[in-house]
Amino acid sequence: MISPAAPVARVIAVANQKGGVGKTTTTVNLATALAACGKRVLIVDMDPQGNASTGLGVSAEKRSQGVYQVLIQGLALDEAESTTLVPGMDIIPSGVELSGAELELISVDNREYRMRDAIDRVRGRYDFILIDCPPALGLLTLNALVAADAVLVPLQAEFYALEGLSHLMRTIDRVQRGLNPKLSLQGVVLTMFDRRNNLCEMVAADVRGHLGDAVYQTVIPRNVRVSEAPSHGKPVLLYDMRCAGSQAYIRLAREILQREDGLAGQPAMAS
């Protein structure tokens, strides 16, 4: 009798080459919401700034084994994992060493595939693996895109939003053609949204006009509690469950789960 196949994680790179658009905030809080929905989740902190690690309260001592050691030294991913305050959610942290990894990777064999090979060994242990990418399209982001099944793009509703998005879409296309044929666009989520601002509404309409259903219906509002939470080493869902930002990430998690094959009818977390 053939045993059922082990679950295989959906690997999502959270990417945008523009900084300050909410990549890390989206990675941490979406992962938390997915974990609260009963999913096993792993965050891979590929940003040398290590903000995802800081925002989840990962101490400096726990960062001695992390993304740098995985990419450069060949450390197994499960040896670099740290647990978090969120049940069912782990993180591969990053530390200051990662800032030099771009240069060191140049001389490493199979440099574009280092993270993919590491993730493939733990895919059966998780439902979702979210990779927080740095705000640049270098070798760290390239490793994330080669490892990923899809790209989630946090997009701030501002004047130059579409220009940056088109640049990223061209990069995704090049990676798809040259290094990772399965890579696709998971979706675009509008962040730091202010409904009182006419420009936000205009940009949102423009983005939806260009990308249609690829843009999630859920928008993440500009919210002070979301901004405060990282300084307390917590996702906003643990810091203030009832605030508008937390509720938006819960809705985003639901929307993502509903779009995944076989997950549409599963119960989500109560608001």
Side-chain angles (χ1 to χ4, degrees), residues 70-93:
V70 171
L71 289 174
I72 305 301
Q73 299 173 5
L75 184 71
L77 215 62
D78 55 5
E79 293 180 40
E81 289 171 354
S82 290
T83 57
T84 71
L85 293 169
V86 181
M89 189 172 90
D90 300 324
I91 186 170
I92 310 296

Side-chain angles (χ1 to χ4, degrees), residues 110-217:
N110 297 314
R111 61 189 182 188
E112 300 93 349
Y113 299 95
R114 303 284 285 186
M115 186 53 69
R116 183 202 67 179
D117 293 345
I119 283 177
D120 281 350
R121 297 188 187 102
V122 301
R123 269 184 180 251
R125 294 177 47 207
Y126 295 97
D127 298 299
F128 288 91
I129 297 175
L130 271 59
I131 308 175
D132 185 28
C133 297
L137 296 175
L139 275 171
L140 291 175
T141 298
L142 187 60
N143 258 268
L145 296 179
V146 171
D149 299 311
V151 184
L152 177 65
V153 184
L155 191 71
Q156 186 178 358
E158 61 176 10
F159 184 69
Y160 290 113
L162 274 175
E163 183 179 317
L165 180 60
S166 62
H167 187 191
L168 180 60
M169 295 298 288
R170 287 193 296 271
T171 299
I172 293 170
D173 184 58
R174 286 196 296 269
V175 172
Q176 185 184 53
R177 286 187 280 112
L179 295 166
N180 181 6
K182 70 181 179 182
L183 187 66
S184 64
L185 179 65
Q186 175 79 20
V188 174
V189 57
L190 294 166
T191 60
M192 292 182 259
F193 200 87
D194 186 351
R195 294 194 183 279
R196 299 168 300 178
N197 186 331
N198 287 338
L199 179 62
C200 283
E201 295 288 359
M202 289 169 60
V203 171
D206 204 11
V207 173
R208 293 187 193 283
H210 278 80
L211 294 175
D213 290 342
V215 185
Y216 288 102
Q217 290 302 310

